[in-house]
Amino acid sequence: MIKGIDPVIIRSGFDKKHCYVHARAGVFPDGTLVMTTQKLLLSGNDVFEPLQTMTSYDGGLSWSEPTVERGFA
């Protein structure tokens, strides 16, 4: 483990039918954090739901609920 970095779960979504995958995070110059992810349907082959976005304005202490990006719906 890298010293000084503690892993935390920010969103749990496993319901035995779906799970979150492909999480990617970035930071804007103003300090806003953004994370994108997709839900994967576990009963099929590569069946992904639209891209979802979560944001944090407090350095990652709290996150918004996942929001589907309209352009990917």
Side-chain angles (χ1 to χ4, degrees), residues 18-70:
H18 298 88
C19 66
Y20 283 109
V21 296
H22 301 150
R24 303 286 187 268
V27 61
F28 286 97
D30 68 359
T32 300
L33 300 171
V34 63
M35 182 175 296
T36 60
T37 188
Q38 289 178 283
K39 276 193 169 184
L40 170 65
L41 179 62
L42 297 173
S43 65
N45 292 329
D46 295 333
V47 179
F48 297 96
E49 292 188 8
L51 189 72
Q52 298 181 26
T53 303
M54 297 177 283
T55 54
S56 174
Y57 301 100
D58 59 8
L61 297 175
S62 63
W63 290 85
S64 67
E65 290 295 317
T67 304
V68 173
E69 291 296 323
R70 289 183 292 169

Side-chain angles (χ1 to χ4, degrees), residues 1-23:
M1 183 179 297
I2 299 172
K3 185 177 179 180
I5 297 177
D6 295 320
V8 295
I9 296 171
I10 63 167
R11 181 71 54 217
S12 178
F14 180 68
D15 61 7
K16 298 183 182 177
K17 295 180 183 179
H18 298 88
C19 66
Y20 283 109
V21 296
H22 301 150

